[in-house]
Amino acid sequence: MAHIEPNHTTAHTEPRPQAYDVLRFMNVKRVFNTQPEIMGMVIQVGEIVHERMLKRPMMTFLLSVQAGLLLSFGILMSCQVGGRWGGTTGTNNFVFAGFGIPFGLTFIVLCQGSELITANYMFTTFAVLAAAPEDRARSIKALLINWFVCWWGNIAGAILHFTFFAWQTGLVKTVKIKGSELPASSYSDPLNTLEHIETIYYESQDAFRQDYFGGDFCTRSNYALANMCKLMNAARAKCTANFATSILRGWGCNWMVCLAIWLQMIATEPISKFIMIWLPIELFISSGFDHLVVNEFLIPGGIMVGGYYLDHRANWGNAFWFNFVPVTIGSILGAWSLVFPFWYVNKDAWYIAQEKRKNYTPAPIGAVIVDEAKDEKAKMPLFVELPPLPPTHPDVLNPSGRRVARHRALSSSGPDTSPTGRRI
């Protein structure tokens, strides 16, 4: 299959796998795309991702950083709203999942170009499956390089966003221990750049733990510090999870993420795309699954605001080994859980569409396509001769005494009107 010149803005404008010339002459709007068409679009995006990776690697990295930044805006909103609202765990999880993170994924989808690693696991795998035998090795090479570059670009964007827009701005406060000799000093404001109003001081680590576990730290001042609790609890839980458990949570998560990308391609309008994205995202986050890029925001954020003081196991080493690595493995398995069944179901129709495209010659602009009408209604004449009216009718007889053939138009204005609208 011929490769497409890399341009992330052309994915939605390229021809569909099967041409529909009739629609060029009719005022018809497609309200959804079919499954083989969606697979063709996914393959096309994957090919563009491959070509961009091989020819413009720096652009791939920058677009990956952009994806991490855009998604992090939604994650921060989830912490600010969902982390502070809801009297029960279920309500809190529902709000955390539904308000923020789906917005960030919508930004990435509608920007058409930002490279999110969890989605690229699906796009690039489809492109490898659809590649010609002589191009498959090249596609696999592009896939592996893209997975590496995009992974690091996403985590760079997530950490940059938290550092500049949440941590340094004071939207999320930071715990500091006075006179502490703990190595945690490298995690919590090591350069002493935060202002006094952005930090919460404790005399010792034990004092902080006592206030957190035995006091009203998370509910104080009308839940003002609940966003910190959300981050620290997330970092503590994810850095101490079982390796296999993290794989399974990443698996279930990315299955739903790829389904969200697939479903939004069914829709053709922005609001419909958002709804299709929102449903699976709400499902997997409120259920407790682990999204790789979301964790790349929550865990570093939880460590930086004081999670290490809360539990020494919340550190960078455990973040990578007990979460980032297994969730990456699970995310690949989750993407493949959608890719291979959908490829098996739709590949025959997609191959047929490719053959039709090879033999397809578009009609010249302005040409009229004549199609033999198979519908009997299309063969009906515009005017029909009706039976003669009674001879006593004053409009029937002419001076010669012969009947006049009456022709009436079949129009919406009624049987007694002519094509011009005048009464006969």
Side-chain angles (χ1 to χ4, degrees):
M1 184 176 180
H3 291 288
I4 301 172
E5 185 67 22
N7 186 344
H8 69 274
T9 62
T10 61
H12 65 295
T13 59
E14 293 293 333
R16 289 173 173 165
Q18 184 174 359
Y20 293 89
D21 273 355
V22 176
L23 300 183
R24 291 163 52 189
F25 304 96
M26 300 173 61
N27 186 18
V28 175
K29 181 176 178 61
R30 294 289 299 278
V31 296
F32 66 92
N33 297 308
T34 64
Q35 297 296 315
E37 287 177 335
I38 297 169
M39 194 176 79
M41 296 175 190
V42 170
I43 291 171
Q44 188 178 77
V45 173
E47 290 177 342
I48 293 174
V49 168
H50 284 176
E51 290 298 301
R52 181 164 54 219
M53 183 69 259
L54 295 175
K55 296 182 178 180
R56 307 182 71 180
M58 183 54 65
M59 175 175 283
T60 296
F61 179 75
L62 293 177
L63 291 173
S64 302
V65 173
Q66 183 188 51
L69 290 167
L70 291 175
L71 187 63
S72 295
F73 276 105
I75 303 170
L76 178 60
M77 178 183 174
S78 292
C79 293
Q80 299 292 84
V81 177
R84 291 168 164 167
W85 193 85
T88 63
T89 303
T91 304
N92 184 274
N93 287 346
F94 182 85
V95 177
F96 179 83
F99 295 90
I101 297 176
F103 303 163
L105 185 58
T106 303
F107 299 156
I108 294 173
V109 169
L110 297 185
C111 281
Q112 296 180 353
S114 300
E115 297 205 15
L116 188 69
I117 184 60
T118 48
N120 278 9
Y121 289 146
M122 175 183 70
F123 289 132
T124 55
T125 303
F126 263 118
V128 168
L129 293 175
E134 61 272 16
D135 294 333
R136 188 149 293 153
R138 185 174 184 270
S139 295
I140 293 174
K141 174 185 174 182
L143 174 146
L144 295 175
I145 299 174
N146 178 267
W147 286 5
F148 179 82
V149 173
C150 189
W151 195 98
W152 286 104
N154 285 171
I155 191 174
I159 295 177
L160 281 173
H161 183 280
F162 181 82
T163 302
F164 287 103
F165 298 111
W167 195 50
Q168 288 289 336
T169 59
L171 295 179
V172 181
K173 295 185 181 297
T174 302
V175 172
K176 295 185 69 175
I177 306 298
K178 293 182 180 180
S180 174
E181 298 179 356
L182 294 171
S185 59
S186 61
Y187 296 132
S188 178
D189 194 20
L191 301 179
N192 197 28
T193 58
L194 296 179
E195 297 181 3
H196 179 73
I197 60 174
E198 299 167 356
T199 58
I200 303 174
Y201 288 90
Y202 286 91
E203 293 294 334
S204 65
Q205 184 178 4
D206 291 336
F208 168 57
R209 289 181 174 179
Q210 183 177 0
D211 185 27
Y212 189 89
F213 293 112
D216 59 347
F217 184 88
C218 295
T219 59
R220 187 179 303 158
S221 300
N222 196 21
Y223 295 88
L225 304 179
N227 53 357
M228 291 179 60
C229 296
K230 193 72 176 179
L231 290 168
M232 290 189 289
N233 288 339
R236 183 178 177 226
K238 297 178 187 300
C239 287
T240 58
N242 182 271
F243 192 93
T245 300
S246 297
I247 291 178
L248 294 175
R249 288 183 178 180
W251 188 337
C253 164
N254 209 37
W255 196 342
M256 291 296 100
V257 171
C258 293
L259 181 62
I261 301 296
W262 188 277
L263 290 177
Q264 67 84 23
M265 286 185 168
I266 295 178
T268 59
E269 296 180 352
I271 186 63
S272 300
K273 287 179 176 292
F274 172 74
I275 294 173
M276 293 296 100
I277 291 172
W278 185 85
L279 292 173
I281 303 304
E282 174 68 54
L283 185 151
F284 84 76
I285 296 179
S286 58
S287 298
F289 294 109
D290 279 10
H291 188 276
L292 177 60
V293 184
V294 173
N295 288 354
E296 291 173 348
F297 178 95
L298 294 177
I299 297 176
I303 294 173
M304 293 168 66
V305 300
Y308 185 86
Y309 296 140
L310 198 64
D311 192 329
H312 290 175
R313 294 175 296 176
N315 55 59
W316 292 104
N318 288 343
F320 275 86
W321 178 245
F322 290 107
N323 193 268
F324 295 161
V325 172
V327 171
T328 297
I329 297 172
S331 297
I332 296 173
L333 296 175
W336 288 353
S337 297
L338 181 139
V339 169
F340 291 111
F342 281 26
W343 169 260
Y344 180 78
V345 170
N346 297 305
K347 64 184 179 67
D348 292 336
W350 182 77
Y351 279 129
I352 293 173
Q354 298 310 302
E355 291 298 323
K356 289 184 177 180
R357 291 182 68 183
K358 291 179 181 178
N359 303 323
Y360 168 70
T361 302
I365 298 176
V368 178
I369 296 179
V370 180
D371 187 12
E372 295 183 0
K374 297 181 180 180
D375 190 352
E376 292 298 329
K377 292 183 179 179
K379 297 181 180 180
M380 294 178 62
L382 181 62
F383 300 101
V384 296
E385 185 172 351
L386 301 178
L389 295 176
T392 56
H393 196 284
D395 293 336
V396 173
L397 296 178
N398 60 10
S400 63
R402 301 181 62 182
R403 298 182 185 276
V404 179
R406 297 292 302 271
H407 294 78
R408 297 180 180 177
L410 298 178
S411 63
S412 59
S413 57
D416 292 335
T417 57
S418 68
T420 60
R422 294 183 179 181
R423 190 170 185 81
I424 301 175

